[in-house]
Amino acid sequence: MFIREIQQKDNESIAKVIRDIFHELDAPKVGTAYADPILDTLYEVYQAQRSVYYVVEKDGKVVGGCGVAPLDNADVSVCELQKMYFAPEIRGTGYAEKIIEKCLKFAKAQGFEICYLETLSFMTTAQKLYKRIGFENICGPMGNTGHSSCEVWMTKKLV
C-alpha cells in the first residue's frame, strides 16, 4: 500500500469508497460528505490553490483518502481536514495517521495556522485518532461546510 496525490482517474473510485462507508455505517446521507455536490470530482476540486487530496492505493485499487483545503468562509489562516474515509480492509493499518500527517505537513507549508475538522459523534475511533494527533474539541462549527449533520468539531494548531 502507498499514499499518493489523487489523479483524475481516481474520482469514481474514491467517491464509491466514501459512499460505501456511509451505507456500511448507516450514517446520515444529508448534511454530510455523502451529499456534497463535489464528491464525484475530487481531483478537479483539489487542484485549487492551497489544496491537496491524497489517496491510499492497495494492489492498484483506491481504498481510502483524505484531503486538506482552505476552510470555506473562514480566515485565510484556517484549513480543513476533509473527506477522510478508509475501506474496511485497511482500517487499523496506520494509514489514517500517515495520511493525516501528510495533509498537516502540506497545510503548514501552505502557511495555515489552524486545521479544523468535523465528524459524526458515533465515529469514535476516528475521534480518538484525531485527539492522539493533537486535535481538540471545540464548542461549535467553523466556516461554511454545509455538513449540518456533523456534531463534533475539532481544531489543531499548526504553528
Side-chain angles (χ1 to χ4, degrees), residues 71-137:
L71 177 61
D72 284 343
N73 199 30
D75 187 275
V76 296
S77 66
V78 182
C79 65
E80 181 187 12
L81 194 70
Q82 302 174 335
K83 294 177 182 50
M84 187 187 84
Y85 295 96
F86 293 92
E89 66 259 32
I90 66 160
R91 293 180 197 152
T93 61
Y95 273 83
E97 187 165 351
K98 288 177 185 176
I99 208 168
I100 291 171
E101 291 298 340
K102 198 165 179 68
C103 285
L104 295 177
K105 183 177 179 181
F106 174 87
K108 287 178 192 176
Q110 294 298 310
F112 290 110
E113 298 174 11
I114 296 172
C115 186
Y116 168 78
L117 67 81
E118 53 193 20
T119 190
L120 298 164
S121 60
F122 68 86
M123 293 185 169
T124 55
T125 302
Q127 290 171 53
K128 287 177 188 173
L129 171 62
Y130 298 142
K131 286 179 182 177
R132 192 170 72 243
I133 292 172
F135 281 86
E136 297 178 349
N137 290 85

Side-chain angles (χ1 to χ4, degrees), residues 49-77:
Q49 282 191 307
R50 302 176 79 201
S51 303
V52 71
Y53 194 87
Y54 297 107
V55 294
V56 178
E57 185 176 315
K58 179 182 179 190
D59 301 326
K61 178 181 168 191
V62 172
V63 290
C66 183
V68 67
L71 177 61
D72 284 343
N73 199 30
D75 187 275
V76 296
S77 66

